[in-house]
Structure formats: C-alpha cells, structure tokens
Amino acid sequence: MKVATIVGVRPEFIKMPIVTKEFRRLGIEEVIIHTGQHYDYEMDKIFFEQLKIPEPHYNLGIGSGTHGYQTGEMLKKIEEVLIKERPEIVIVYGDTNSTLAGALAATKIHIQVAHVEAGLRCFDKKMPEEINRILTDRISDYLFAPTERAVKNLEREGITSGVYFVGDVMLDVAMQNIKFAEKSSKILESIGLKKKEYILATIHRAENTDNRENLKRIVEAFVNSGEKIVLPIHPRTRKMLAQYLLLEKLESAKNVIVTNPVSYFDMLILEKNARKIITDSGGVQKEAYFFKVPCITLREKTEWIETVEDGWNFLAGTKKGKIVWAIENFEPKGKTYPHKFGDGKASEKIVKILSEKLLEKCDS
Ligand code: UD1
Ligand code: UDP
C-alpha cells in the first residue's frame, strides 16, 4: 500500500506534515514529491526543518516561470515519477500550480487523486488559484472539504461522490504548533515588538504584486497609516516592489518593518499577538480567525467567506482610503466559530478514509 504526496509551495509544506504523521502511524508508505516551485531557504527548507518533515524522496527542481511553463514541466516530471513508483493514491493540497499538475499527471495514468481543501471557491476566475481549484476538484476521486460551505459548492457543480467534510488541516496544524511556537519563538524580542502594539501584514497575490497601481496604493496606505506594521515579505513582492521603485519608500518609512519571510512558529506568534492583520493570503486569513485577530483582506473576494460573515474579516480590496479606514476603525463585534473549520482532527479523518480505501483496493 503506497501513496504519493505532491507539494511545492510554502503553505503545502505547512499542511502536509500532520497528514504524513498519520500515514506513518498507520504504517502506510508515503512517497513525497516536491515540485521545487518554492526553493529559497525561507520559503522551503525552513519548514521541513522546523516541522520535522522527512526529506522529499524527489525534488523535481522546476522553480519559477509562467503558469504554462511551470504546470507543463511539472506534469512531465511528476508523470515520470508516478510511473516509476506506481502509488495507489496521489494526495494534493490546496490550489497551486503544483496541485493541479499533480492531480492531472495522476489521473491521466489512472491513479486516484485525493484533494485536501476541496470545494473552495472565491468565484473569481481571474485568480489562477480559482482555476486550479475547479480543475483539481473535477478530476479528484476523494474530495476532503474543510467546511460545510465547500461541500455545498461542490454539490452546486454536480460533484457529490467521494466528498467528505473533514474540517481544515490548517486548524489542526495551527492548534498543535502554537504551543511549540510559544515555547521556542523569540521573534517579538528580536524585532522589538510588544504584544498587540503592531499590525502584521503579508502580500503576495499576483493581482496585487503584478499591478503597479495596486501595489503603490497598498504601500501608501501602510506608510500613511502611521501604525507600526511588520511585513515579512514574500520574494515575489520584494522583486516587484524593487521593479516598480517602491521598495525604498516602504523600507525607509519609520513605521514599517520589512523582514525576510519568517518560519511557521515565528509567524504563528506574530499572528497571535498582532493587534490586526492585513493580508491577501488564504492561510493567513484563517489563522487570524483562529487566533481571534481582526483581519483586513487586500482582495475584493475570498474563498474563506465564513470569516467575513462572522465579522472578523474585512474585504478592503486595494483602495487606499478603505485600507486606512480599516486599519483605524475595523473592530469585529461578535464571536468566532472555529468549529466551522472542523474539530482539529481533519488529518486523522483523511488518513482513516484513505486507509480504508487502500484496504478495499488490496482486497479487490
Ligand atoms: C504560489 C501559488 C499561490 C500560493 C503561494 C504561496 C500558484 C499559481 N500560486 O504563489 O497560490 O498562495 O505560492 O506562497 O501556484 N520566488 C522566489 N523564491 C521562491 C519562490 C518564489 O524568488 O522560493 C519568486 C520568483 O520570482 C517567482 C515568484 O516569486 O517568479 C512567484 O512564485 P510562484 O511560485 O510562481 O508563485 P507565488 O506567488 O509564490
Ligand atoms: N507563513 C509563514 N511565514 C511567512 C508568511 C506566511 O510561515 O513569512 C505561513 C502562514 O502562517 C500560513 C502560510 O504560510 O500558514 C500561508 O502561506 P501563503 O500566505 O504563502 O499562501 P496562501 O495560504 O495564500 O496560499
């Protein structure tokens, strides 16, 4: 009984270990295939070291490029590995180019696909992630939905077979790791931050980074707000800020602290102790909700609608005035309902279901 897991980017390295641990506990062999989509130390190896993930069996070294280049190269190389390894099931996470390439490579050679974080939709097909989600769900055999809403989204598209509401592995991961983070992280001291006296920000979405006007408005909102803002910067964003001649403005602002991307433990601590979070990340929106930190999202739409409905996430888009208003005034009133994202046992449920399916395959 063998499964193969395909990962390639930061959030996938964070989600995978908790599921991998379960496979190991049940004695199921797992081949880990890393596409190499992310490769800088702070975007890649740091998570393998900190979360004690075994070294990937394969690193395909695809690296950066256009969507067509990345997805095409991944498809070719993943197929070669899958033909050699012949796993019973391939597991993919989320909505990245690595996700889609992994699912497509597997299904074309009749290997079953399990999609973790299935059924999410933001209903904006201009986002590459939305295309990756829709296509991956369409060709998956097992669809592990993180929320009830995700199940409904799939139903609406006629996908009902193989769908399981298991909860969100990111809730499991955050809840399990926050206690280790609290013991080991020194990030607040090293940056010189006091709890609840700063705002944490992340930016990396293509529609923000690859559009000078959007990025300029975001930079101006940060600088004009006068609030202490900590920005662990994604390499994509650093590159585009430099290209648009905006990096110096940001780095020289007295109220903005720009750092390299941080480890997962440091990020959890920065999130939990922030007064507010400003982000365009999918994962960070949820972590803000899990830690009851008000979130301002630099997008017009989100796939994590629950966080908005419950009043903890404000969709500011990239309007300067709206961002500044939210930094000063946005205060959630109600409670958060983390159980909407499951009971913290998503990874156990996923592996239990997959192990039963593997047994059925062995018997047949
Ligand atoms: C990708 C995912 C996105 C996910 C994000 C997580 C797709 C289409 N996008 O976006 O859904 O939210 O990962 O962080 O799959 N770069 C480096 N070093 C690295 C990685 C990237 O310098 O280790 C730079 C390169 O200039 C590269 C750019 O960042 O061209 C974008 O990287 P890429 O992996 O294509 O997309 P992300 O924006 O990281
Ligand atoms: N994260 C991290 N260090 C950082 C920024 C983010 O460890 O410097 C973590 C964050 O806590 C979350 C995940 O990375 O668990 C989110 O990844 P990202 O924002 O890159 O992608 P998305 O979730 O939008 O796909």
Side-chain angles (χ1 to χ4, degrees):
M1 294 205 293
K2 191 198 278 185
V3 299
T5 294
I6 294 168
V7 288
V9 306
R10 171 167 69 187
E12 293 162 350
F13 311 142
I14 292 170
K15 291 165 204 168
M16 173 184 66
I18 200 155
V19 180
T20 290
K21 209 171 102 196
E22 276 302 298
F23 280 130
R24 294 191 149 201
R25 199 173 66 78
L26 297 189
I28 296 170
E29 186 185 351
E30 182 192 28
V31 178
I32 299 174
I33 305 168
H34 183 331
T35 62
Q37 183 172 347
H38 283 179
Y39 45 84
D40 288 352
Y41 175 77
E42 294 100 340
M43 298 297 289
D44 175 13
K45 216 167 175 27
I46 196 170
F47 301 101
F48 284 80
E49 289 170 2
Q50 187 167 72
L51 298 169
K52 303 196 172 48
I53 320 171
E55 281 286 307
H57 298 85
Y58 297 87
N59 189 323
L60 308 180
I62 310 291
S64 306
T66 63
H67 289 284
Y69 166 82
Q70 252 181 359
T71 317
E73 286 298 300
M74 287 175 193
L75 194 56
K76 280 197 289 194
K77 293 196 178 171
I78 294 170
E79 184 183 64
E80 280 169 24
V81 177
L82 294 181
I83 287 172
K84 185 166 153 226
E85 293 286 345
R86 274 280 150 201
E88 312 291 334
I89 298 174
V90 158
I91 295 131
V92 294
Y93 291 82
D95 53 21
T96 68
N97 287 347
S98 298
T99 314
L100 176 61
L104 195 50
T107 198
K108 286 250 186 178
I109 53 172
H110 308 131
I111 297 173
Q112 289 196 317
V113 177
H115 185 202
V116 179
E117 280 195 335
L120 296 167
R121 299 289 181 267
C122 70
F123 304 101
D124 179 359
K125 283 199 186 153
K126 284 204 210 78
M127 288 191 66
E129 291 81 6
E130 185 78 348
I131 306 291
N132 291 341
R133 287 178 199 126
I134 293 172
L135 296 179
T136 303
D137 285 338
R138 196 71 194 85
I139 55 179
S140 290
D141 299 278
Y142 308 108
L143 298 100
F144 296 114
T147 60
E148 299 275 15
R149 183 184 300 268
V151 175
K152 293 216 175 73
N153 287 338
L154 291 169
E155 247 170 52
R156 220 175 294 124
E157 291 173 21
I159 305 173
T160 50
S161 159
V163 177
Y164 303 88
F165 167 52
V166 290
D168 190 341
V169 287
M170 285 204 92
L171 176 66
D172 306 19
V173 180
M175 292 310 124
Q176 285 200 14
N177 283 297
I178 185 66
K179 46 185 188 281
F180 301 125
E182 278 173 334
K183 274 193 207 131
S184 65
S185 172
K186 301 274 175 287
I187 190 74
L188 298 183
E189 297 86 319
S190 75
I191 306 186
L193 298 171
K194 293 210 175 68
K195 291 180 180 180
K196 300 293 167 188
E197 280 188 5
Y198 65 90
I199 290 175
L200 173 67
T202 79
I203 317 164
H204 76 277
R205 289 280 158 213
E207 68 266 28
N208 288 335
T209 60
D210 296 6
N211 177 320
R212 188 174 194 277
E213 280 315 301
N214 283 352
L215 207 48
K216 185 164 171 269
R217 282 196 295 267
I218 295 170
V219 168
E220 284 173 355
F222 285 10
V223 174
N224 293 355
S225 75
E227 292 281 345
K228 186 178 276 189
I229 296 182
V230 181
L231 176 70
I233 200 165
H234 190 292
R236 167 184 212 125
T237 316
R238 183 181 283 282
K239 185 177 82 179
M240 296 314 289
L241 282 168
Q243 195 173 309
Y244 296 147
L245 306 177
L246 293 167
L247 188 59
E248 208 190 315
K249 183 178 170 79
L250 198 62
E251 286 188 319
S252 61
K254 284 202 177 64
N255 64 319
V256 183
I257 303 170
V258 180
T259 73
N260 281 339
V262 296
S263 74
Y264 182 54
F265 287 179
D266 285 349
M267 190 64 182
L268 290 179
I269 294 302
L270 284 173
E271 287 173 340
K272 192 173 174 198
N273 294 295
R275 198 163 67 69
K276 287 182 183 169
I277 291 177
I278 308 177
T279 192
D280 57 12
S281 155
V284 175
Q285 287 175 65
K286 273 183 300 172
E287 286 164 348
Y289 183 84
F290 299 155
F291 292 131
K292 289 192 86 163
V293 178
C295 185
I296 301 162
T297 294
L298 303 173
R299 287 169 55 186
E300 303 290 344
K301 291 183 174 169
T302 180
E303 58 283 8
W304 300 108
I305 296 165
E306 296 79 0
T307 61
V308 177
E309 277 175 356
D310 293 343
W312 284 81
N313 190 359
F314 178 80
L315 296 178
T318 54
K319 303 267 176 343
K320 191 165 83 181
K322 229 171 165 180
I323 301 169
V324 174
W325 177 88
I327 291 176
E328 285 169 7
N329 301 303
F330 174 56
E331 291 299 341
K333 289 186 186 65
K335 294 201 292 188
T336 58
Y337 302 92
H339 67 265
K340 289 187 179 175
F341 297 88
D343 58 3
K345 293 195 164 64
S347 41
E348 281 173 43
K349 290 177 193 166
I350 290 168
V351 174
K352 185 166 180 291
I353 293 163
L354 290 181
S355 64
E356 284 165 7
K357 297 293 171 192
L358 285 167
L359 277 176
E360 280 170 23
K361 277 169 167 273
C362 282
D363 288 345
S364 63

